Amino acid sequence: METADVVIVGAGIIGLSAGYWLAKAGAKVVVLDKGRAAQESSSRATGFLSLRGEEPLEAPLALAAERLWNTLDEELGYPTEWRQKGRLWVALGEHERDALDEKYRGFLNTGIPFERIDGERCREIAPSLSPAVIGGIHTPRSGHANPQRTTQAFAWALRDRGGAIIEERPVTGIHVAGGKVTGVATPAGDISAGVVVVAAGAQTSKVAALAHVEVPTATVRLEACVTAPLPPLFDVAMVGGGLSLRQTRRGNIHFNGGPHEWVDVELTEEPAKPNTPILRNIARRLAELMPGIRDIPLLRSWAGVLEVTPDQMTILERLSDPDGLIVASCSGHGFGMAPSAGLAISELAQHRRTSLPIEALGLSRFSTLPRDWKARRRWEPGRYNT
Amino acid sequence: MSEASKKVMVIGAGPAGCAAALAAAGYGLDVTLVDEHPQAVSAMSLDAPYFYGSRLAPVLSNDGEIADRVLGANEGLMECLDAGVEVLVGTSAWGVFRSGPNSRHLAGDQVGVADRERSWMLPFDYLVIASGARDLVLSFPGWELPGVLGVMGASMLLRSYEALGGRSLLILGSGNAALAFARDALSAGLTIAGIAEPAPQVQGDAALARELEEAGARFYLGHTIQRALGEGSVSGARLAGHDGSDRPGQTIDVPCDTICLAFGMVPNVELPAVAGCAIGFDPARSGWAPMVDANMETTLPGIFVVGDAAGVSEAGCLDSAGAVAQAHRAAASIAMREGLRAAPADAPPRPTASAATHFPPDLWLSSLTASGGMDVLVCQCEEVSRRDLVTVAPPAYLRASEKIAPDAVTMLTVNGHPSQDSLKRLTRAGMGHCQGKRCREHSAMLLARAAGVDLADVVTGSYRIPVRPIPLGVIAPADESAQMRADWPVWLHPVAEETGH
């Protein structure tokens, strides 16, 4: 039988990061994926590091990620296109200004230097912004990277250090004996391991259920778009006009946001990820935010399926029952936190504990979650935009 | 037309599309025919749908004149107008949307269309896709010069737009598409500077080849192109003898102002692919083509693909009768389902199943690689060379930090299937403004060779909506409801009250 120290279920950005840190530490690590690496949530990522300043549960892990991001290219040996050029939230009209002010109040108690700025200042940072932008919040911290290149950098670096990634090998069972994890089952045979990490994105709940562990997540389909390349227009990670957007190193504007559909996924199948005519509205949001680029072509759109936890915060815990099972879900915004979340998983897998700040991210916070939480919120498959 | 009549959308006003639209209208169906010609010059400069290669004559600045020419050259379209078909010209179809798994909220099946000013959605009950074929493009040094273009692009400019900006043409390839174009060019008074073919014999119709030879066209058999010559635009071509080995033979310079690529043609399958129709590898239909039944219906009920879009063959390059027959079967199938026709269509031969094709053009790629080497661009938009592609090199803007993973192509290959999507994300080949129309097959062929697998085993790149690059301000809905804007979610709605945080 194949053996490993650690089996990671899911070759997305979280699983690959965890695998990288484990391989670097000398552990025998195998990362499995039902399909190809980084094709689900990780392919739909905007590519932001969000500092999560307003969220005390996650902010410490995000800050740890920021430190790792700044040297990640050297660490991995491959380019991620990371650039720490700050973040800008902008308000397009009065309605968004009210929401912005509320967000700013939440930022005031963080140690991160956020500045409330006017529309003119926003346009100094990003001259292509519409004259209708009437205010913003800016921080020189935070940044963005290329999701495709980052996942590949982790994957290559992982293999360089002796780890294995096996694609198109779904996990169909988790073996538990005497309260301890002993390995996984796959259609191509079992792999024994004392530690199993579930980092399966939209499939996380289904994979964890194989070990009779309930991880509350709902899954959602979202759409993303990219324009033809443009000369450099802005370098901040931007949120505004109903979109999240960044300009890539190549010059394309990568943008997403808007209505989404709650969906269901299968344990081992790739879910359908269709685009819808909503992409026209997403394009309209960008044309409104930056009217000067309305003649630039929309080049591509695509969709992704990702998981959302009940409080939209990360779940990261090494369980005691069964012992050896680690559950990791970053609630659909794991890209930025992947370096530190992966490092935490690596330490948990090797030492049962981690120096990284994840105390608040355990499953116990959902102990009073009503069983019908998805129905109450209308986060059920087939529901739209609620 | 009765109010209950079902809506049939036909995309593409070539012989197959016009035949389908006419036949469907003849059954009393409510038919809309959409065609992207005449295109705006700005759209043509993006090399879609054809590789026009900056070979547009100045007359193209006169929109009215061009519209008259393009429409006047299309007799089938005129017949459709007379038959009461709603005809939308200068209108491209950029997406097909159907309700299905994980998309349950569409108001019916619909096609996204756009003209130069705006976009809108057209609902359909039946969809007949007749989106034709495009040139299979391979490259050689100098192919980015104005004056190098695909034979389909050249043919469209010559026959329809009457705007081919060249006088003396060298044609690369000797299949029927090449020969038919040479015949048209000669009758339009142009000069054929030569027809080059790396194989020792002409690949297309022998009688047609003789006819061309008698008219003065010279065939360079056993020759490939080493490079296009010229500064700023094409002034000639350097041909090199090819004997099947890796060593280029004797060279000969042929003066010309235009080089037409006729390495092969492939079906335009973007629309069936984004609709979700199954696409299969079938060399007998020139590559990856929609899976269709005898009535040309795809794996999605109610969506049909006819003509070159369903498969390109040598026979079809000279005679559109097969495409028209496909269109008639599709229309008859729809009519029967709607109770407008009693009997099924005549039992047809399976479409083009036994017809010869020149797919994939392995000899061309081998000869071009032998004579041009590996440092030739595959992808003009993103400046990716053959070497970059097979070594999975980072794109040009990252070259400063150049580091290539060892054996990277092997790592893109899972269970014997290399992924073209993974390759394009890492190298950016195919990610540019032509949306891969000039590099898709070249890239797939190189990937197969590098991975040591058959071309059939390549998992080809995904097609993405919009299948034509459409300006943001055009694809944006002008009629967006105030409700849509007001309810626009930035991310998920707040849920704090339900979780206790």
Side-chain angles (χ1 to χ4, degrees):
Chain A
M1 191 197 300
E2 295 169 82
T3 62
D5 297 326
V6 181
V7 167
I8 297 173
V9 187
I13 184 79
I14 300 295
L16 292 170
S17 171
Y20 166 75
W21 296 110
L22 277 162
K24 186 188 179 192
K28 186 176 181 194
V29 59
V30 176
V31 185
L32 303 178
D33 201 283
K34 70 182 193 316
R36 303 265 174 157
Q39 296 290 291
E40 300 286 9
S41 313
S42 297
S43 74
R44 156 62 181 69
T46 312
F48 286 2
L49 166 65
S50 171
L51 291 175
R52 309 295 290 166
E54 72 285 24
E55 304 291 356
L57 265 65
E58 279 187 343
L61 194 60
L63 286 174
E66 187 187 31
R67 287 190 290 276
L68 294 167
W69 268 113
N70 286 330
T71 55
L72 196 60
D73 283 23
E74 294 75 26
E75 170 74 36
L76 300 179
Y78 301 100
T80 63
E81 302 186 23
W82 166 253
R83 25 174 32 185
Q84 185 177 29
K85 293 292 187 179
R87 181 141 170 181
L88 179 66
W89 289 260
V90 300
L92 197 64
E94 301 292 336
H95 174 71
E96 288 190 11
R97 183 159 66 186
D98 294 345
L100 200 73
D101 285 334
E102 191 185 329
K103 182 176 277 291
Y104 184 62
R105 282 192 291 277
F107 285 165
L108 282 174
N109 299 323
T110 68
I112 301 165
F114 290 106
E115 188 188 356
R116 181 74 173 83
I117 58 178
D118 64 14
E120 284 310 304
R121 179 82 184 101
C122 290
R123 279 179 291 278
E124 283 169 25
I125 295 168
S128 53
L129 281 170
S130 162
V133 167
I134 54 174
I137 304 171
H138 178 249
T139 174
R141 300 267 295 275
S142 180
H144 58 86
N146 178 328
Q148 311 289 358
R149 214 164 288 288
T150 303
T151 46
Q152 193 64 62
F154 271 116
W156 281 339
L158 185 165
R159 295 208 207 200
D160 288 348
R161 285 156 185 77
I165 302 166
I166 309 178
E167 296 164 279
E168 296 180 6
R169 187 153 176 200
V171 166
T172 51
I174 296 177
H175 297 305
V176 177
K180 290 180 191 297
V181 164
T182 60
V184 298
T186 81
D190 288 356
I191 304 175
S192 77
V195 177
V196 171
V197 179
V198 181
Q203 270 84 9
T204 293
S205 298
K206 302 228 156 148
V207 175
L210 298 173
H212 307 290
V213 170
E214 188 180 342
V215 179
T217 66
T219 45
V220 66
R221 174 184 54 75
L222 292 154
E223 302 183 55
C225 299
V226 69
T227 68
L230 287 152
L233 295 179
F234 62 97
D235 53 16
V236 289
M238 195 186 298
V239 177
L243 300 174
S244 296
L245 61 156
R246 69 185 185 98
Q247 186 170 23
T248 67
R249 284 278 291 278
R250 173 67 178 95
N252 314 75
I253 295 179
H254 175 181
F255 59 110
N256 59 53
H260 38 263
E261 180 164 334
W262 296 98
V263 301
D264 205 357
V265 296
E266 302 296 324
L267 177 66
T268 60
E269 298 298 310
E270 182 178 351
K273 289 166 285 194
N275 280 104
T276 72
I278 287 293
L279 67 91
R280 299 173 68 215
N281 305 82
I282 299 174
R284 179 166 164 153
R285 295 286 81 79
L286 181 58
E288 287 170 354
L289 187 65
M290 298 184 177
I293 63 168
R294 56 180 288 118
D295 292 336
I296 297 302
L298 178 71
L299 208 50
R300 279 186 289 284
S301 66
W302 65 100
V305 169
L306 50 85
E307 87 282 17
V308 184
T309 65
D311 57 3
Q312 299 178 47
M313 298 292 153
T314 293
I315 295 169
L316 210 176
E317 182 178 11
R318 176 169 172 147
L319 305 183
S320 52
D321 181 22
D323 182 36
L325 190 75
I326 297 174
V327 176
S329 161
C330 289
S331 191
H333 56 264
F335 178 79
M337 283 191 296
S340 57
L343 185 57
I345 293 166
S346 161
E347 292 179 358
L348 289 173
Q350 298 171 84
H351 315 302
R352 294 176 173 271
R353 59 189 186 291
T354 173
S355 55
L356 287 149
I358 62 159
E359 302 78 15
L361 301 178
L363 280 168
S364 63
R365 69 184 195 269
F366 303 117
S367 58
T368 58
L369 187 74
R371 292 210 67 79
D372 60 347
W373 66 280
K374 288 190 214 179
R376 289 185 184 208
R377 293 175 193 184
R378 299 157 61 89
W379 283 14
E380 296 169 294
R383 295 283 190 181
Y384 193 62
N385 196 24
T386 54
Chain B
M1 239 166 273
S2 77
E3 212 164 286
S5 175
K6 291 292 178 67
K7 183 62 157 183
V8 180
M9 279 274 300
V10 182
I11 298 172
C18 288
L22 260 183
Y27 290 117
L29 290 155
D30 177 10
V31 185
T32 300
L33 174 62
V34 175
D35 194 81
E36 65 189 312
H37 300 284
Q39 294 181 275
V41 176
S42 59
M44 298 173 92
S45 69
L46 297 175
D47 279 331
Y50 301 122
F51 178 20
Y52 293 116
S54 311
R55 227 354 159 201
L56 318 176
V59 66
L60 279 180
S61 57
N62 186 339
D63 286 343
E65 169 79 17
I66 283 302
D68 287 348
R69 287 184 188 179
V70 171
L71 303 183
N74 192 337
E75 284 174 26
L77 196 68
M78 295 299 152
E79 284 182 61
C80 287
L81 280 168
D82 291 344
V85 172
E86 182 189 20
V87 174
L88 303 173
V89 293
T91 303
S92 61
W94 49 263
V96 178
F97 301 91
R98 275 175 68 104
S99 290
N102 299 348
S103 178
R104 302 194 208 168
H105 294 269
L106 287 181
D109 299 344
Q110 46 199 301
V111 175
V113 296
D115 62 20
R116 297 175 194 200
E117 256 89 64
R118 67 183 190 112
S119 67
W120 66 105
M121 307 302 298
L122 286 173
F124 66 85
D125 295 299
Y126 295 96
L127 178 63
V128 181
I129 299 172
S131 47
R134 63 181 163 78
D135 293 298
L136 186 158
V137 178
L138 304 173
S139 65
F140 46 85
W143 76 298
E144 58 278 2
L145 283 171
V148 178
L149 77 174
V151 74
M152 294 200 67
S155 184
M156 194 71 192
L157 290 177
L158 176 69
R159 290 200 293 209
S160 190
Y161 288 77
E162 299 172 46
L164 178 63
R167 304 294 309 166
S168 173
L169 319 177
L170 175 75
I171 300 172
L172 303 178
S174 67
N176 283 344
L179 303 183
F181 172 69
R183 179 179 57 192
D184 290 348
L186 282 173
S187 47
L190 305 182
T191 305
I192 300 300
I195 298 172
E197 168 60 54
Q201 63 286 119
V202 172
Q203 300 296 296
D205 185 77
L208 181 50
R210 265 196 311 279
E211 182 189 317
L212 292 170
E213 238 173 343
E214 281 159 16
R218 173 157 180 205
F219 283 84
Y220 293 90
L221 299 175
H223 277 78
T224 190
I225 185 166
Q226 191 171 70
R227 61 175 310 117
L229 303 170
E231 298 283 332
S233 71
V234 170
S235 64
R238 179 161 301 154
L239 303 182
H242 182 71
D243 59 6
S245 76
D246 286 345
R247 290 185 320 278
Q250 288 237 313
T251 62
I252 175 170
D253 287 357
V254 178
C256 61
D257 61 16
T258 302
I259 300 174
C260 301
L261 316 186
F263 305 126
M265 298 190 298
V266 292
N268 277 326
V269 300
E270 305 100 306
L271 286 172
V274 299
C277 304
I279 308 286
F281 181 79
D282 184 358
R285 293 191 287 153
S286 288
W288 283 268
M291 320 269 270
V292 289
D293 66 12
N295 291 319
M296 309 311 291
E297 190 163 9
T298 66
T299 51
L300 292 182
I303 298 186
F304 298 74
V305 182
V306 298
D308 284 350
V312 178
S313 70
E314 278 293 277
C317 291
L318 298 181
D319 184 355
S320 59
V324 168
Q326 291 176 355
H328 287 163
R329 290 204 297 282
S333 174
I334 294 168
M336 221 179 75
R337 223 167 301 180
E338 292 303 315
L340 300 168
R341 178 192 163 105
D346 300 337
R350 285 284 298 187
T352 65
S354 60
T357 69
H358 298 301
F359 183 90
D362 281 320
L363 186 60
W364 266 114
L365 181 57
S366 298
S367 73
L368 292 170
T369 307
S371 64
M374 292 299 282
D375 295 313
V376 180
L377 293 185
V378 172
C379 171
Q380 276 190 31
C381 302
E382 301 288 318
E383 300 186 0
V384 183
S385 72
R386 288 186 190 126
R387 189 182 312 283
D388 296 334
L389 199 82
V390 299
T391 57
V392 198
Y397 64 86
L398 286 175
R399 286 295 152 76
S401 55
E402 185 165 4
K403 180 178 175 190
I404 295 170
D407 207 11
V409 164
T410 308
M411 287 161 54
L412 302 178
T413 306
V414 179
N415 297 331
H417 296 285
S419 161
Q420 192 174 20
D421 269 338
S422 299
L423 185 68
K424 79 180 190 192
R425 285 169 189 155
L426 294 170
T427 62
R428 296 198 63 80
M431 301 282 262
H433 60 73
C434 86
Q435 298 180 314
K437 290 176 184 69
R438 297 180 298 193
C439 70
R440 174 178 274 267
E441 290 73 30
H442 192 181
S443 155
M445 290 172 75
L446 289 168
L447 177 59
R449 289 181 181 201
V453 302
D454 291 339
L455 186 58
D457 290 328
V458 172
V459 182
T460 54
S462 315
Y463 288 97
R464 301 297 191 191
I465 295 171
V467 304
R468 295 284 180 270
I470 311 272
L472 290 171
V474 172
I475 202 163
D479 58 351
E480 182 182 65
S481 70
Q483 192 70 26
M484 169 69 81
R485 182 69 189 94
D487 292 348
W488 191 264
V490 173
W491 177 218
L492 304 173
H493 294 297
V495 292
E497 71 282 0
E498 291 169 53
T499 52
H501 293 303

